[in-house]
Amino acid sequence: VAVTGVQTCALPICSIVSDVPGTTRESISEHVTFYQEDIQITDTPGIRKKKSVKEPLESLMVKSSLHALENADIVLLLVDANEGQLCDQELKLAFYAFTDLYKGLIIVFNKWDLVDDQKRAQLDYQLKPYEHIMKKIERIDISCKTGKNIGKIMPLVQEVYERYTSNLSAHELTVICKDGLDRRPLYHKTQVLKLFRVRQVATRPITLIMIVNQPQWFGASQLTFFENIIRTRYKLKGVPVKFIPRTS
């Protein structure tokens, strides 16, 4: 599990904590046992925009964080809820982890004890344009100061990991996807898109091969159509789904 963000949360890692950004200077990993599972937790330095990184040390810190991100199964993006918004860099990190690296993702909103109704409404409004990804990922509101929901973090990580390693029935996947296509046919210009079968070939992330008539016709919007069908049938919140369309 990679924990990345602009703060340090009170997870069971031996590290110096501070409200001052930049306190964590290198990725620190520790193994913990949770429900008889051996889990490696990595606390990473925060990642600022490239143009804001001026010192060689910070450049190394960013590389350390990105390396931890690439090697993680589940990413916890820790942000300051008191800001009332996700900054551009935090949004980029969320998209990068979930849609580019196909990592399980939980956004952890810290300092929730400081969030009033106005800031909560401000945060909801700011996240609305990103609803298409926010509805796919898990979020948890915590306060490291008061201890609010701290005990719920690791159970949620465990739950997301179980989804991330799910094995889905090829027969059921094929049936629900073909049924969805029967109800709402998809076209490329005037040509109908055909789906013959779907099967899972990997976990971490869940990877599905789709046997279709013309793979090049199955772009982002078409694959999102099938992803929505699958997410309606299975509880996959917090984990990405990777599709590979091909003819055989």
Side-chain angles (χ1 to χ4, degrees):
V1 179
V3 182
T4 183
V6 295
Q7 309 157 314
T8 303
C9 178
L11 287 172
I13 297 178
C14 298
S15 58
I16 298 171
V17 298
S18 171
D19 289 336
V20 180
T23 300
T24 305
R25 308 306 291 265
E26 62 181 344
S27 296
I28 302 171
S29 297
E30 183 168 310
H31 286 270
V32 300
T33 300
F34 184 75
Y35 287 163
Q36 300 183 334
E37 294 284 347
D38 183 36
I39 300 174
Q40 177 176 293
I41 297 178
T42 302
D43 184 18
T44 74
I47 303 175
R48 297 200 298 166
K49 290 183 179 180
K50 190 174 182 179
K51 67 180 181 181
S52 301
V53 178
K54 298 183 176 13
E55 298 180 4
L57 177 59
E58 186 171 357
S59 179
L60 291 174
M61 290 161 55
V62 170
K63 289 180 180 178
S64 172
S65 295
L66 292 176
H67 180 70
L69 196 67
E70 292 167 358
N71 290 329
D73 287 313
I74 312 298
V75 174
L76 276 68
L77 181 62
L78 184 63
V79 300
D80 186 346
N82 194 40
E83 294 292 328
Q85 64 176 357
L86 290 184
C87 69
D88 289 344
Q89 184 70 349
E90 289 164 346
L91 286 167
K92 287 178 182 177
L93 284 170
F95 277 93
Y96 178 64
F98 197 77
T99 65
D100 292 351
L101 297 181
Y102 292 99
K103 303 298 182 180
L105 179 61
I106 303 169
I107 297 186
V108 182
F109 288 91
N110 190 24
K111 300 186 181 179
W112 202 253
D113 55 303
L114 302 178
V115 177
D116 55 22
D117 290 341
Q118 182 179 354
K119 284 187 178 178
R120 187 178 295 111
Q122 179 183 339
L123 180 60
D124 290 342
Y125 178 79
Q126 192 258 348
L127 292 177
K128 196 170 184 61
Y130 309 101
E131 187 176 2
H132 62 289
I133 185 172
M134 294 302 297
K135 67 182 182 181
K136 297 179 185 178
I137 62 181
E138 288 282 6
R139 65 170 282 182
I140 184 169
D141 305 325
I142 70 165
S143 169
C144 289
K145 181 178 180 180
T146 67
K148 173 184 172 65
N149 288 338
I150 295 297
K152 296 181 180 180
I153 296 176
M154 290 306 296
L156 182 58
V157 168
Q158 181 72 13
E159 189 174 343
V160 171
Y161 183 76
E162 288 174 0
R163 299 171 195 166
Y164 196 56
T165 55
S166 296
N167 285 291
L168 311 180
S169 162
H171 173 73
E172 191 169 60
L173 284 169
T174 300
V175 169
I176 63 174
C177 287
K178 292 181 76 170
D179 284 350
L181 198 56
D182 287 341
R183 290 193 300 271
R184 183 188 162 190
L186 300 179
Y187 296 88
H188 174 76
K189 297 181 180 178
T190 60
Q191 302 295 313
V192 66
L193 275 65
K194 295 181 181 180
L195 171 70
F196 303 111
R197 61 184 181 276
V198 185
R199 61 186 175 92
Q200 183 176 348
V201 294
T203 62
R204 303 169 54 199
I206 294 172
T207 304
L208 307 178
I209 286 181
M210 305 176 67
I211 307 302
V212 300
N213 58 337
Q214 296 291 339
Q216 68 273 20
W217 294 350
F218 287 75
S221 61
Q222 290 79 17
L223 295 180
T224 298
F225 170 79
F226 291 106
E227 182 180 357
N228 289 337
I229 291 172
I230 291 169
R231 288 186 181 279
T232 299
R233 173 61 182 85
Y234 301 100
K235 190 173 183 180
L236 297 176
K237 195 168 186 180
V239 303
V241 180
K242 185 176 183 179
F243 293 92
I244 304 175
R246 65 187 201 189
T247 56
S248 62

